[in-house]
Amino acid sequence: IPYLQGSEEMSDSAPLLSSTNQTSGGTFAPAEGLSSIEAARRLQQDGPNELDPPQKESFFRILLRQAQSVFYLLTLLAAFLSHSCGDTPRGILLVVVVCTVLLLNTCGEHTSQDAGQALRSMTAPTTLCLRDGHPVEIKASTLVVGDVVQLRTGDIVPADMVLLESMDLKTNESILTGEPMDVSKSTSEPASPSAPFRSNMVYSATSVTAGHGKAEVVDTGMRSQVGLIAKRLQESKGLMEKSPLMVSVNILGQALSCVVVCLIISATLLAYATKYEDPARPCPPDDSDCFLRTGLLRAVIMSVAVVPHGLPMVLMIMLRVSSMKMAERGGLVMKVSAVDYISATTVVCTDKTGTLTEGRMTASLLTGICRDGAEGAAGGTTKQSELSFYPLKGFAPNGGLFISSQLQDEHRASIDATYDGTKVRQDFSAPGLPDVANSEKAATAGLDGLMAQAHLACAFLTCHSTSLWQSETGSWEISGNMTEGALKVAAAKAGLQDGLALLEHARLPDLEVPFSSSRKMMATVHLLPASRLASLRFPASCTHVAILKGAPDKLLDKAGTLAKLSAGALEVPGEPITATDRNMLQRHNEKLAQKALRSLAVLVRPLQPADMESMIAAKSADDRLSIIFRDASMACPLSLWGIYDPPRTSVPPSVKACHEAGIRVVMITGDQQATAASIGTQIGLLQEDDDPDIATAVCSELHEVRNPVRQSRRLSRQAQELISAGFSSGTAATAHPKAKHRGSRRLSVHDARGPQDNEPEFKSEEELIELVSRVKCFARAQPSDKVAIVAALRAAGHVVAMTGDGVNDAPALKAADVGVAMGVSGTAVTKNASDLILLDDNFSTIQLAIEEGRRIFGNTQKYVMVNLSMKFAETTSLMLSIFFGVLPVIRPTPQLFNMILTHGVSTLCLAFEAAEAYTMKVPPREVHGRLVTRHQVLLRMVPFILLFPLVAYASLLMGTYGAVGFVSNKALIGSSKVADMTDGLSACELAGWEDEDGHFEADLRPFHCMCKVSQAGLPWLQAQPVEHWGTTRSVTGTDPTKNAWELSIDNDDWEGKSEHLVRPCQKNNKLWCWQVPTSARPVLPAGLSCVDYGLRTGQTMAFVTIMFGEVLSIMCFRREELITKDLLSNPYFNLTLLGNIMAMCCAIYVRPLARVLEFVPLNATRFIIAMSCSLWLAIFCELAKAAYRASQTRSRQLQQERALALSGCRSMSRKEHV
């Protein structure tokens, strides 16, 4: 019997069926499968039914991507220059910083790449296949196209297959769709050809939850739907792709590179032009090479100091601190870069089920109609009862059922305030608001109370296979069908639990009519003691009752009677149902559909002994069902249930917060478009003025019109016909695989398609961008659709965060800038593909993560501002010292000491600063923008850079002048002129010698210094002269006040007078010349003159001012509010403040450390003066900050308006577009 079409196809794999029922190749009928020979040939041709092994990004590739920072290059260059200039400790420190940051970041990213391996583990290991006409269990990896597989409950589907036979078959396709509901499968033509996953096919890695069937393999391995997911998981970000923060850092690094070059050139030229000399290390007056060499060395040191080499380390630490903060708030960071990306997120694409919603089907509305029994025609007036469940807390049975018209917003607020999640049941009744789920309160609610008791009791009895239980953690869980779980929870709110109720109305399992996709209903039969069931009263002759639940369109047409209120009970059968009654029920059903609620009808039918005998004798479920509906006058429609997956209560405020922060929220779901629109409206994603036709779309709009092209000669005719079902010939005619495409096709989803590739063709990049720019809710999504949406948004310039829990979400998570997985419901595949895991599966945690990311970016800005301000201020001070010819405010070794403690440790505490109040009220930052804004530079940094030299030099010059009486370098170095000291032009005298030609060459060290030392170091008080004379003997110590005799004119070298050692030169009589040999010249030892002591005093005071002033400045930069507000809010900074003060005191008063840093102890007066200068710096910073705050007030208002426009909450003005 041929099952293949076309004689030309017979040559490849023609069907052969011999009279002996054996094969030598080809296929049998679908009932018999392939021959072993043909299966082996196809296996060799197509390869095994396996997913390709995951490709991990190499450690070296990740290292290269991490190393693409200009700061790493600048830091390594600075390390080399520091070593070349003799500052080896600084060079080693910088190299260690770079290597540590690179290795830690690379290792962290390299270890989180196991998504593909986790996906491979989810496929079926073995399967029951028909080979050579016999069922055999084989490895799933050996399946080929055309194989016929038998499916049973509990099986994992081994490949994509089309159903040949189906007996009440259901599968769970959540791995592909993300939707938890079981899907009914049949061999009939799909009701919706546009559905991404067809009802007459089963897909690889999904599970069979009910029934059994037979199916023919259509696609295997990487050509299956799960294979397309694996294919997308193998895609990785480009080598040159940089995170937003890395882009901003590189922009800053490039700017600093230019600054460094200009600084080296300008500082060298300035020093050479002014013949700048350091009094501690002067150059000979005529040595131009010395001036050039020392000028260049000084410029290099300044350029090294101006670059914030600790920035990569600080960024790494800040991001990791932020990761820990996110973990405390429910977000586990898998990749540190996620903190950076999420701080710049402009669009959040989120799944609906389990993220925006509870992920648990919940009964929301309950509607019923009956006759009120009043006297008159037709047994009274038809009354309708509309009831609402509240609160909706997933599977928790603690809640109530209220009359919808009576339940107002104030009641909901009161219930929310008193709700206790630890209790099983609470009485939420209020005056005028009875809880009709409570049997005592229901008695006061009249007809509504009676109907509520009937609704809940019948729904409870028909959900016998589903259980509600409380786990060890206290959470409530459902085992069984999700829809029945919603009814079970609703009944539990009335106190109905498994036990007594089931015993009183025992179920007859042999008479049950199970649910099927064709019947769309089920029925259970129960005992009816005393002809009563809750508030329902049946004829005395009825011994049993059938309770049916299912699709309203199937059940309501079968009903022939309405319940009637009689003597405090609902009598069934009551009065005949009318066309008006049916229309009323239909309107209620449509109303539920408009609210995106899944409607479920419950119908009761009392059974008499004769009916029971017929049902017992019936041979099939369909026969039993026909007996139930044999007498329509006994079938009574009891209730319409509105069931849905409710939004989490925390989601609407979080969506609003995202909108206020300028972040678009896009919902992508596998559900129907109407359901997506309804949920979107409830959570505030869709605004009142949004047109649903524009703001929502079905994902098929992303596709080019193209049918999958399969090699039909490899399938049986039956399978090919089933696959082709639902596609019109007109559509197929437009789907040539080689048709030319319009527009650019540069996205990842525009990759080449093979002849067996079933992934849809997507529209051009321009068309996709236009679509994703306006749509807020995408429905009927399949995995590749999510990837296309994310890719189009990224191509439009957005930073995209994508959430998901199922395997179907994993490719989109990997394609997004930030992949966000669910920690509770998420699969291992999704978690391994993610950058961030929500430990509570709550969308609100995403909003908190964005806020945390923005907080850490804001603190990074503060770090860069204060660090660059301090470094540029120090550099400016050094440039001014060259220009004015005065002492440098700080030397390289103390500068390194200060850089580690203040620029490094103290600034790290900014990572723990709280977010500013406006953090989530402004639009996302520009991805390719500067790290600091123009206003921050002009109003925060520039004032500090200009004011810092003033206070630093005030402290330096007061200390130097108070200890020496001079401040200029020339005066401090000394002069060889005989009259300069006498005339008050120089603090020291230098001698030299002249040759026969009269050429004079002076010493580098003075033989005599005379300082004017002010009382207590205060320069405005009277000064006393202190003289020091040179010596040829070794003098210990650094304090010249303790070496009075050795440095006096009475020492052994001078013996009380200087004339016999120095006198005016013969040819240059205005200069001092030595009268003794070179070896006998008594000069002042380095560091022991009063001038040297005065220099160290001034620089020690300047160091105190700089170090304490910079710590206070960090305190000013911590917050944009006044410094006194939240002064002690950061305990880490408080500790570093104390630590800095202690380290500063140790540097001054611990002699070994002071000797290394070339400091001297300060008396109390000088110490207070230095600290006071620091306070002035803090005051000036606060004044500048006040000006900055004033300038930002109007700007922040405009930013808030623009944020709402960017999020889609309002239309954007032309100015905002620009």
Side-chain angles (χ1 to χ4, degrees):
I1 303 173
Y3 280 86
L4 300 178
Q5 302 180 36
S7 58
E8 68 278 6
E9 298 170 346
M10 300 286 286
S11 59
D12 187 11
S13 58
L16 301 176
L17 179 61
S18 66
S19 59
T20 59
N21 206 27
Q22 298 293 324
T23 65
S24 57
T27 64
F28 282 118
E32 298 174 337
L34 293 176
S35 68
S36 298
I37 297 175
E38 176 64 12
R41 188 184 72 81
R42 295 188 181 190
L43 183 63
Q44 184 178 10
Q45 178 180 344
D46 296 342
N49 177 33
E50 294 176 339
L51 302 181
D52 291 344
Q55 297 179 359
K56 287 190 175 183
E57 193 172 8
S58 69
F59 184 89
F60 182 70
R61 179 183 172 90
I62 298 175
L63 182 65
L64 286 179
R65 191 169 65 249
Q66 289 287 339
Q68 295 177 41
S69 171
V70 176
F71 271 95
Y72 291 134
L73 180 61
L74 285 175
T75 304
L76 292 176
L77 179 60
F80 173 75
L81 293 175
S82 298
H83 173 70
S84 302
C85 295
D87 195 356
T88 302
R90 186 195 295 256
I92 295 174
L93 177 64
L94 296 180
V95 171
V96 169
V97 167
V98 171
C99 294
T100 302
V101 174
L102 277 176
L103 289 176
L104 287 177
N105 287 343
T106 303
C107 290
E109 188 169 340
H110 184 259
T111 54
S112 56
Q113 302 185 83
D114 298 325
Q117 187 60 44
L119 183 60
R120 283 165 61 88
S121 66
M122 300 183 72
T123 54
T126 61
T127 189
L128 189 62
C129 176
L130 295 179
R131 289 281 173 87
D132 298 317
H134 304 287
V136 292
E137 188 168 353
I138 64 172
K139 290 184 178 180
S141 60
T142 62
L143 277 180
V144 295
V145 174
D147 263 327
V148 177
V149 175
Q150 293 183 351
L151 298 173
R152 300 159 297 184
T153 301
D155 285 350
I156 296 177
V157 179
D160 287 5
M161 300 184 288
V162 62
L163 286 172
L164 306 175
E165 299 176 7
S166 174
M167 293 296 294
D168 299 331
L169 187 70
K170 289 184 179 180
T171 62
N172 187 314
E173 295 180 347
S174 59
I175 189 175
L176 300 175
T177 65
E179 299 299 323
M181 301 299 295
D182 295 342
V183 180
S184 298
K185 297 291 183 177
S186 67
T187 58
S188 59
E189 181 177 322
S192 176
S194 63
F197 301 102
R198 306 177 64 186
S199 60
N200 65 348
M201 289 187 68
V202 290
Y203 298 94
S204 178
T206 61
S207 58
V208 179
T209 58
H212 58 88
K214 187 183 292 184
E216 184 172 337
V217 176
V218 173
D219 290 300
T220 61
M222 294 298 288
R223 293 179 294 276
S224 64
Q225 289 295 326
V226 76
L228 298 179
I229 294 176
K231 169 187 172 184
R232 294 300 175 196
L233 283 175
Q234 292 179 356
E235 298 173 355
S236 61
K237 294 181 173 69
L239 179 62
M240 302 303 294
E241 186 171 341
K242 302 179 183 67
S243 68
L245 188 56
M246 184 68 73
V247 172
S248 298
V249 166
N250 279 352
I251 292 174
L252 177 63
Q254 292 166 5
L256 286 178
S257 300
C258 298
V259 170
V260 165
V261 173
C262 295
L263 183 62
I264 292 176
I265 295 173
S266 59
T268 302
L269 293 177
L270 181 61
Y272 184 76
T274 59
K275 302 296 183 182
Y276 179 81
E277 295 182 84
D278 187 346
R281 300 169 184 84
C283 284
D286 298 328
D287 191 349
S288 298
D289 291 341
C290 178
F291 285 110
L292 181 61
R293 185 172 59 255
T294 56
L296 178 60
L297 181 62
R298 191 173 293 107
V300 168
I301 293 174
M302 289 168 57
S303 65
V304 169
V306 80
V307 177
H309 306 292
L311 180 59
M313 174 70 80
V314 170
L315 289 180
M316 182 195 72
I317 294 174
M318 280 193 167
L319 293 177
R320 293 194 180 276
V321 168
S322 182
S323 300
M324 293 187 290
K325 291 282 187 181
M326 284 189 185
E328 294 174 1
R329 304 178 78 173
L332 179 61
V333 177
M334 302 296 290
K335 297 178 183 177
V336 178
S337 60
V339 181
D340 174 18
Y341 275 107
I342 205 161
S343 68
T345 296
T346 58
V347 177
V348 175
C349 296
T350 176
D351 188 21
K352 174 181 71 70
T353 305
T355 307
L356 298 176
T357 63
E358 295 281 354
R360 301 177 174 189
M361 300 304 294
T362 305
S364 174
L365 293 178
L366 188 51
T367 303
I369 63 173
C370 71
R371 299 288 168 79
D372 60 5
E375 294 182 2
T381 306
T382 300
K383 297 292 185 180
Q384 61 182 13
S385 173
E386 292 189 14
L387 308 174
S388 297
F389 290 95
Y390 196 84
L392 306 178
K393 300 288 185 179
F395 295 146
N398 189 8
L401 180 61
F402 309 95
I403 300 172
S404 298
S405 59
Q406 296 177 354
L407 183 62
Q408 304 298 321
D409 289 340
E410 56 267 23
H411 295 131
R412 293 185 176 90
S414 175
I415 292 172
D416 290 337
T418 58
Y419 181 84
D420 187 350
T422 62
K423 295 183 178 180
V424 178
R425 290 188 67 201
Q426 288 178 264
D427 184 7
F428 294 111
S429 297
L433 184 72
D435 180 358
V436 295
N438 187 320
S439 57
E440 296 178 359
K441 305 293 182 180
T444 65
L447 182 61
D448 290 300
L450 294 174
M451 295 200 70
Q453 296 301 305
H455 296 327
L456 297 173
C458 291
F460 173 76
L461 290 176
T462 192
C463 298
H464 58 86
S465 61
T466 299
S467 300
L468 173 66
W469 52 280
Q470 192 171 20
S471 67
E472 295 179 355
T473 61
S475 63
W476 289 90
E477 304 294 339
I478 283 290
S479 58
N481 183 274
M482 292 289 288
T483 301
E484 289 190 350
L487 304 186
K488 200 83 169 186
V489 172
K493 292 176 181 178
L496 297 175
Q497 299 178 357
D498 296 343
L500 182 61
L502 294 179
L503 292 175
E504 290 181 352
H505 301 281
R507 178 177 61 91
L508 280 65
D510 293 339
L511 300 184
E512 182 173 334
V513 179
F515 182 89
S516 71
S517 56
S518 58
R519 288 190 288 265
K520 293 188 177 181
M521 68 180 73
M522 67 167 292
T524 56
V525 178
H526 302 265
L527 287 175
L528 197 60
S531 300
R532 293 292 296 262
L533 173 55
S535 60
L536 296 175
R537 184 173 62 232
F538 300 97
S541 60
C542 295
T543 58
H544 294 77
V545 62
I547 306 176
L548 299 94
K549 70 172 184 286
D553 59 334
K554 295 289 185 180
L555 279 177
L556 297 182
D557 290 340
K558 306 290 186 181
T561 184
L562 282 183
K564 181 179 70 173
L565 178 62
S566 175
L570 296 177
E571 189 175 284
V572 178
E575 298 295 334
I577 194 170
T578 65
T580 303
D581 297 330
R582 294 186 188 278
N583 290 336
M584 184 181 295
L585 289 171
Q586 183 60 35
R587 285 196 302 271
H588 281 301
N589 189 38
E590 292 173 354
K591 184 178 179 181
L592 295 177
Q594 291 171 358
K595 294 182 178 180
L597 299 178
R598 182 172 296 174
S599 57
L600 184 73
V602 175
L603 182 145
V604 293
R605 200 291 201 183
L607 299 172
Q608 297 179 347
D611 298 321
M612 292 299 298
E613 292 176 2
S614 299
M615 291 190 67
I616 294 172
K619 296 181 179 180
S620 67
D622 288 331
D623 291 341
R624 293 193 292 273
L625 190 62
S626 63
I627 293 170
I628 292 175
F629 289 125
R630 183 168 54 190
D631 186 359
S633 64
M634 299 290 284
C636 174
L638 191 61
S639 55
L640 276 175
W641 292 74
I643 303 173
Y644 81 132
D645 185 6
R648 294 176 181 264
T649 55
S650 59
V651 167
S654 298
V655 171
K656 181 181 179 182
C658 286
H659 286 164
E660 290 177 346
I663 300 170
R664 282 184 61 203
V665 180
V666 177
M667 181 169 65
I668 309 174
T669 177
D671 218 328
Q672 300 284 350
Q673 186 175 4
T675 304
S678 177
I679 294 294
T681 301
Q682 292 179 47
I683 64 176
L685 194 151
L686 295 179
Q687 307 302 311
E688 294 181 358
D689 56 348
D690 281 334
D691 185 349
D693 293 334
I694 296 176
T696 65
V698 179
C699 282
S700 58
E701 296 182 34
L702 301 167
H703 306 161
E704 296 279 10
V705 181
R706 178 179 183 265
N707 284 341
V709 180
R710 291 186 174 88
Q711 297 179 12
S712 59
R713 54 176 165 59
R714 298 166 63 86
L715 302 177
S716 66
R717 178 179 298 170
Q718 181 181 355
Q720 185 61 33
E721 289 175 351
L722 287 169
I723 290 174
S724 301
F727 290 105
S728 64
S729 58
T731 303
T734 64
H736 195 280
K738 295 184 179 180
K740 291 184 178 180
H741 301 286
R742 297 172 297 174
S744 56
R745 307 183 65 80
R746 298 171 295 184
L747 304 182
S748 60
V749 292
H750 289 143
D751 53 354
R753 301 286 193 273
Q756 292 290 323
D757 200 333
N758 300 324
E759 194 173 29
E761 286 278 6
F762 288 93
K763 293 180 177 179
S764 68
E765 180 179 339
E766 294 80 7
E767 291 173 306
L768 291 179
I769 290 176
E770 187 279 329
L771 189 63
V772 300
S773 296
R774 63 174 173 83
V775 174
K776 300 179 181 179
C777 296
F778 285 96
R780 302 308 248 163
Q782 52 185 311
S784 57
D785 294 331
K786 299 182 179 184
V787 177
I789 293 169
V790 169
L793 286 169
R794 294 189 70 208
H798 290 286
V799 177
V800 183
M802 175 71 201
T803 72
D805 55 357
V807 175
N808 62 311
D809 300 316
L813 263 62
K814 191 163 186 179
D817 295 293
V818 187
V820 184
M822 303 296 110
V824 178
S825 61
T827 62
V829 179
T830 312
K831 292 177 183 178
N832 290 339
S834 69
D835 305 298
L836 176 68
I837 296 177
L838 304 185
L839 299 179
D840 54 3
D841 287 13
N842 197 335
F843 178 83
S844 301
T845 307
I846 302 176
Q847 177 244 322
L848 295 177
I850 293 173
E851 183 178 357
E852 175 60 29
R854 289 192 176 190
R855 181 191 72 84
I856 211 65
F857 177 78
N859 291 340
T860 301
Q861 277 189 317
K862 294 173 185 177
Y863 166 80
V864 172
M865 280 195 295
V866 69
N867 203 279
L868 287 181
S869 296
M870 292 187 296
K871 292 184 178 298
F872 273 95
E874 291 178 8
T875 303
T876 302
S877 300
L878 295 175
M879 289 289 289
L880 290 175
S881 69
I882 297 174
F883 183 79
F884 290 109
V886 294
L887 289 173
V889 290
I890 191 167
R891 295 188 181 279
T893 304
Q895 189 179 40
L896 179 61
F897 181 83
N898 183 50
M899 183 187 78
I900 295 173
L901 292 178
T902 308
H903 297 197
V905 178
S906 296
T907 52
L908 275 179
C909 299
L910 293 173
F912 300 95
E913 283 299 319
E916 298 289 348
Y918 61 83
T919 298
M920 292 297 286
K921 303 291 185 182
V922 295
R925 73 179 191 269
E926 294 291 337
V927 177
H928 300 292
R930 299 173 181 174
L931 202 54
V932 290
T933 66
R934 183 171 59 89
H935 284 91
Q936 288 171 334
V937 172
L938 294 178
L939 297 178
R940 298 297 303 277
M941 295 176 63
V942 171
F944 180 89
I945 293 170
L946 296 178
L947 294 169
F948 179 91
L950 295 179
V951 295
Y953 272 110
S955 181
L956 172 73
L957 298 181
M958 280 193 292
T960 305
Y961 190 83
V964 181
F966 297 92
V967 294
S968 70
N969 284 357
K970 289 186 178 181
L972 295 171
I973 291 173
S975 172
S976 300
K977 295 182 179 180
V978 175
D980 276 359
M981 179 177 285
T982 306
D983 295 340
L985 301 178
S986 176
C988 294
E989 293 180 306
L990 293 83
W993 61 92
E994 59 182 1
D995 56 18
E996 295 178 354
D997 298 329
H999 177 71
F1000 179 82
E1001 185 173 352
D1003 287 334
L1004 296 180
R1005 293 295 304 166
F1007 67 87
H1008 175 215
C1009 289
M1010 184 173 66
C1011 302
K1012 301 173 184 178
V1013 181
S1014 302
Q1015 296 180 12
L1018 300 176
W1020 52 84
L1021 297 181
Q1022 184 177 359
Q1024 296 180 350
V1026 174
E1027 291 191 75
H1028 285 157
W1029 293 83
T1031 180
T1032 58
R1033 292 170 176 78
S1034 176
V1035 181
T1036 59
T1038 58
D1039 189 349
T1041 61
K1042 298 181 180 180
N1043 301 287
W1045 185 83
E1046 288 90 342
L1047 300 180
S1048 70
I1049 197 170
D1050 296 323
N1051 66 34
D1052 295 336
D1053 292 295
W1054 300 96
E1055 297 180 351
K1057 53 185 178 180
S1058 62
E1059 289 79 3
H1060 67 284
L1061 295 180
V1062 294
R1063 65 180 61 176
C1065 300
Q1066 294 180 358
K1067 296 183 179 181
N1068 299 281
N1069 58 5
K1070 293 183 180 182
L1071 304 177
W1072 289 112
C1073 279
W1074 287 107
Q1075 303 301 312
V1076 295
T1078 302
S1079 59
R1081 291 180 296 176
V1083 295
L1084 284 165
L1088 284 182
S1089 70
C1090 65
V1091 171
D1092 292 324
Y1093 188 80
L1095 297 180
R1096 294 186 178 184
T1097 300
Q1099 290 184 323
T1100 303
M1101 289 182 63
F1103 175 79
V1104 171
T1105 299
I1106 290 172
M1107 191 168 185
F1108 189 62
E1110 288 182 346
V1111 173
L1112 292 181
S1113 300
I1114 296 172
M1115 186 181 293
C1116 293
F1117 277 92
R1118 278 176 50 201
R1119 308 286 298 170
E1120 292 189 6
E1121 300 296 330
L1122 194 64
I1123 192 173
T1124 55
K1125 187 175 182 180
D1126 299 327
L1127 184 64
L1128 303 178
S1129 61
N1130 189 337
Y1132 300 99
F1133 180 80
N1134 299 334
L1135 288 175
T1136 58
L1137 176 62
L1138 294 176
N1140 267 47
I1141 294 175
M1142 293 176 62
M1144 180 177 65
C1145 292
C1146 290
I1148 298 171
Y1149 298 108
V1150 176
R1151 291 193 176 276
L1153 185 57
R1155 188 178 299 112
V1156 173
L1157 298 174
E1158 299 181 350
F1159 289 154
V1160 295
L1162 299 178
N1163 58 31
T1165 303
R1166 288 190 173 112
F1167 189 82
I1168 292 173
I1169 290 173
M1171 297 284 279
S1172 300
C1173 291
S1174 301
L1175 293 176
W1176 278 108
L1177 182 62
I1179 293 172
F1180 290 148
C1181 282
E1182 282 299 302
L1183 293 175
K1185 189 165 66 176
Y1188 174 77
R1189 282 199 305 269
S1191 71
Q1192 293 299 295
T1193 302
R1194 176 56 181 163
S1195 175
R1196 293 273 154 73
Q1197 294 176 351
L1198 295 175
Q1199 285 180 319
Q1200 291 178 16
E1201 296 175 5
R1202 186 168 182 268
L1204 293 174
L1206 289 173
S1207 66
C1209 287
R1210 67 172 181 83
S1211 58
M1212 190 178 295
S1213 66
R1214 182 178 301 177
K1215 184 177 180 181
E1216 288 171 329
H1217 271 294
V1218 175

